[in-house]
């Protein structure tokens, strides 16, 4: 019996959308207000889901507390209260759009999840904008 | 890398559930309070999702602002503060159930979404009732 | 020891904002889209609060179940799935703005609440617009 | 045209995570605070979804009111304000983890849902922990 | 300039509403399902607010992190995953209604809050039932 | 009859908590992670409330659309997607804590609200931290 378990977490961060190899005018046209050179920021809400068989002994797919601690170590400790562009190496050359942040988070978590299980990341950039990535 | 991006929107409207070709007794039996001939109404919350490849240049599957404007033009401007039965041509012969409204919204948006991408519509009729349509 | 207890409820209804004694142009200018003659509608979320002394025997200010049933009888049964303008006598001559609906609900509940206790009504017309009335 | 309809419900209950065949030390190690022998409890939020073809006559996949009543009879009346370990036969030998509760709820509902339709159960144990089961 | 700062927290617990000095029939009549001798439970959501002058140097009424830690030590560590009736001394003779729990929490926090500042506790027993106590 | 009307809005911004006249060590000790020199950010949710008499003619305390537009012009257009420390003159010498931001917003709105009416600002810095200012 396969069940998907989900855990919510959150972090907040500053970021800016732009490409170094585009001039200012093109960055403005494509990224608008999100290209502010002084940065803006968000409270990112995160839902991490692991899909797998229920362990018959414990009744768990995966211990929620283990998942919570994993998200803290791999995601919150690395991204919370940070400037994504300046302080997170993955975004040195990668635009920190919600899409790319979700992929980066998924890549950080994947090695720590049982390889028989599927992993999904939902990331809310605002209460009205969110993205979903499943690998 | 495929990511699903989602945007929330909302509109409110009056409607009534009934079929012209059924008599009042049958409409009452099937649709109950929703058959009130004087109409009732809802705040409809809408989540539109587009699933596709991340554009390597922008880091976007689709610009959220473009999606937001598209929902405004195709859905909110057409349905907000309207009587669905009397003022929206699609429901002249079609019962405006949540299911049918979701299909109508999907049909309105589909031509404007890149044909390589998948489209999903989630429509909340109340905070406790909602429907999902993916074509 | 005074505690305020609060109970959430909800109903949905159609309505229209306008004054019979104004011409169409003035109604349009003041009430805009809310003046649609074919009506529009909302899911109204309601929070009813009663402020009073804790009964030392029960530990209740007022039994939440009694409050829930009272809201059902006095408010939900009267307003749910209704056209406020056409079917609720209080709005025959009174414009059903959120402000006026809150006052009407408060007036309906007040006689049923212990006169030593204070009553407050919060009414959400949409998730972004709400009003508070305390008599 | 296949649409997924969803209905939210809720119940609250006491429970304890442990296995009779494990000693106290092992139960503590695996289940931590959730192994409190005096029980703890939750407000469980439930979303039940039915995926199927829209009935061309009614515009419904399934009448939401029928689904609501079914959830009340099969789930809420059986689990609400109960001690899951002591009062719900399904958990006499089964650990009432969120995963197992979701499976039990799905099993209770499945016989009452049209066999052409798919059934999904989402169960929130807390606002931050939830599970999804689709059979 | 007085500002009210508010911090949300949560805990979950089992409880039962009843009076030892009433017979079973009276407890059933007054407390209904909440009198289940095997207990039931809730996810309690808590909002603690402190009203006071902004410190001109820091711009804080009170450091939110200090408030967060205080709530953890005085409330969450004491009530989370507990059976309120059996394991929390304050409820040995006091019925653990939402009203009384709010008063107990307020009494625990009050000595740790600057005496110039006002303290308010809002306690959600369910998403639909909550209470407010300000001393 | 006095009613309080409330309107929700939102903006997102980057900020940093620190005082120019304190050394780095003191800023770290008092403001912790919020002192990140590269900034971090939030989705700020705002609730603006106006308390006053219902206008007998319109049934409004104040037209919600007027209030919505006022918040857009005076608050959202000025703060949204901005770096509060670097781009908002009010915070050149003032620490942009939630408390101070709420006061600044209140000061911006107050001149535009009828002097007979009371104004209240609630500002969520995160879903768990918020502040209230009423002048």
């Amino acid at each position: 019996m396969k069940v998907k378990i989900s855990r919510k977490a959150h972090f907040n961060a500053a970021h800016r959308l732009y490409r170094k190899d585009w001039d200012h005018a093109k960055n403005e046209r494509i990224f608008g207000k999100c290209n502010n050179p002084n940065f803006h920021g968000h409270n990112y809400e995160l839902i991490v889901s692991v899909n797998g068989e229920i362990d018959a002994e414990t009744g768990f797919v995966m211990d929620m507390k283990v998942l919570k601690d994993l998200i803290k170590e791999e995601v919150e400790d690395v991204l919370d209260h940070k400037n994504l562009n300046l302080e997170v190496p993955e975004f040195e050359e990668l635009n920190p759009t919600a899409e790319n942040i979700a992929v980066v988070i998924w890549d950080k978590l994947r090695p720590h999840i049982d390889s028989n299980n599927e992993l999904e990341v939902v990331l809310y950039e605002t209460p009205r904008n969110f993205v979903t990535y499943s690998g």
Side-chain angles (χ1 to χ4, degrees), chain A residues 5-10 46 48 50 60 62-79 105 108-109 112-113:
Chain A
I5 68 162
S6 302
R7 172 77 195 170
K8 288 192 188 176
H10 60 101
L46 178 68
V48 176
V50 175
F60 288 157
M62 175 181 177
D63 185 339
M64 282 277 193
K65 193 174 172 329
V66 172
L67 182 56
K68 176 190 175 185
D69 292 346
L70 179 64
I71 298 170
K72 181 172 186 312
E73 281 161 39
E74 297 295 324
V75 182
E76 293 175 334
D77 288 353
V78 178
L79 302 181
I105 290 172
K108 285 174 173 295
L109 293 172
H112 305 277
I113 302 293

Side-chain angles (χ1 to χ4, degrees), chain A residues 5-86:
Chain A
I5 68 162
S6 302
R7 172 77 195 170
K8 288 192 188 176
H10 60 101
F11 60 91
N12 57 69
H15 80 153
R16 172 196 181 184
L17 299 187
Y18 82 119
R19 289 183 65 92
K20 295 174 190 172
D21 56 338
W22 288 357
D23 62 16
H24 184 70
K26 184 163 185 190
N27 274 307
E28 280 293 292
R29 186 159 41 83
I30 304 298
F31 298 120
K33 289 189 297 183
C34 299
N35 178 39
N36 183 342
N38 292 315
F39 308 103
H40 64 286
H42 298 289
N43 301 324
Y44 291 93
E45 296 286 325
L46 178 68
I47 304 174
V48 176
S49 299
V50 175
N51 194 30
E53 290 289 334
I54 301 180
D55 178 290
E57 267 216 313
T58 59
F60 288 157
V61 169
M62 175 181 177
D63 185 339
M64 282 277 193
K65 193 174 172 329
V66 172
L67 182 56
K68 176 190 175 185
D69 292 346
L70 179 64
I71 298 170
K72 181 172 186 312
E73 281 161 39
E74 297 295 324
V75 182
E76 293 175 334
D77 288 353
V78 178
L79 302 181
D80 189 39
H81 280 78
K82 292 288 164 59
N83 183 308
L84 300 181
N85 301 71
L86 302 182

